[in-house]
Amino acid sequence: KRWGFANAPRLVIIAPGARSHIKRWTTDGFARVADRLIGEEGAQVVFSGEPDEEPVVEEIRHLMRHRTHSAVGLVTIRQLGLLMARAHLVITNDSASLHLASALNVPTVAIFGPTDATKYGPTAARSRVVRRQLFCSPCEQPLCRFHHECMRFISPEEVYDAAIELLDAK
């Protein structure tokens, strides 16, 4: 109620963080997807994350044209779960947010690069994994020997299309 989306027709939570920086998709990619969801679909977008992820979220919000909300550092894990349970979609990297959304069976777009989506991917009934199949991925390594192409080569259009597919599903 405080943020004005208690009855939002399309509430989307975006969790752009991850414990390891190599599991994070690009800030520009998240900004472009969020802008399209707001501008073309009328979605209300809320960013979530741990307090130390605030610089990443603020960078994304700075790149955007549209206004969003940030719950970074403002909610407990239980409150985030309640917020996710009301959401129509969660977009996230391979992170704790992915597993929370899956446990709540919220439609989820999961962005994967160096980790194995078959092992760590979403378990929600309605979910999509977006990943770039490269000779080196999934490598399961803490450092990239190349230039992080497994994440950099994922386009905003791929993530947006997966999001729309889930939002429009009956």
Side-chain angles (χ1 to χ4, degrees):
K1 287 181 181 179
R2 176 175 55 174
W3 289 328
F5 50 75
N7 297 313
R10 289 193 162 182
L11 177 59
V12 177
I13 297 174
I14 298 179
R19 275 284 172 221
S20 171
H21 72 282
I22 66 167
K23 295 194 299 182
R24 293 180 183 171
W25 190 42
T26 66
T27 54
D28 180 64
F30 278 117
R32 290 173 58 191
V33 169
D35 266 337
R36 283 190 72 187
L37 288 170
I38 295 166
E40 296 174 25
E41 303 299 322
Q44 291 275 351
V45 172
V46 179
F47 285 95
S48 70
E50 296 183 27
D52 64 339
E53 296 168 343
E54 188 169 14
V56 172
V57 170
E58 289 309 310
E59 181 180 343
I60 294 167
R61 294 177 77 202
H62 179 74
L63 294 170
M64 294 179 61
R65 296 184 318 269
H66 296 288
R67 185 175 168 268
T68 63
H69 300 279
S70 174
V72 175
L74 300 178
V75 295
T76 64
I77 190 76
R78 176 174 278 171
Q79 290 168 329
L80 178 59
L82 291 170
L83 187 59
M84 282 186 176
R86 299 184 84 135
H88 298 92
L89 179 69
V90 172
I91 302 174
T92 181
N93 299 309
D94 176 15
S95 65
S97 292
L98 166 64
H99 304 298
L100 180 58
S102 289
L104 295 168
N105 205 31
V106 179
T108 305
V109 174
I111 304 167
F112 273 80
T115 53
D116 190 348
T118 58
K119 282 202 270 189
Y120 309 112
T123 58
R126 293 179 39 227
S127 59
R128 297 290 175 272
V129 171
V130 180
R131 69 169 309 124
R132 179 67 61 228
Q133 291 287 46
L134 299 174
F135 75 93
C136 57
S137 69
C139 66
E140 302 278 337
Q141 298 299 311
L143 297 172
C144 181
R145 297 181 314 158
F146 302 102
H147 300 286
H148 210 223
E149 287 92 346
C150 61
M151 292 302 267
R152 287 188 309 111
F153 287 178
I154 295 172
S155 74
E157 291 73 24
E158 291 173 272
V159 175
Y160 177 80
D161 289 347
I164 292 304
E165 184 180 332
L166 291 173
L167 283 173
D168 289 344
K170 300 272 189 257

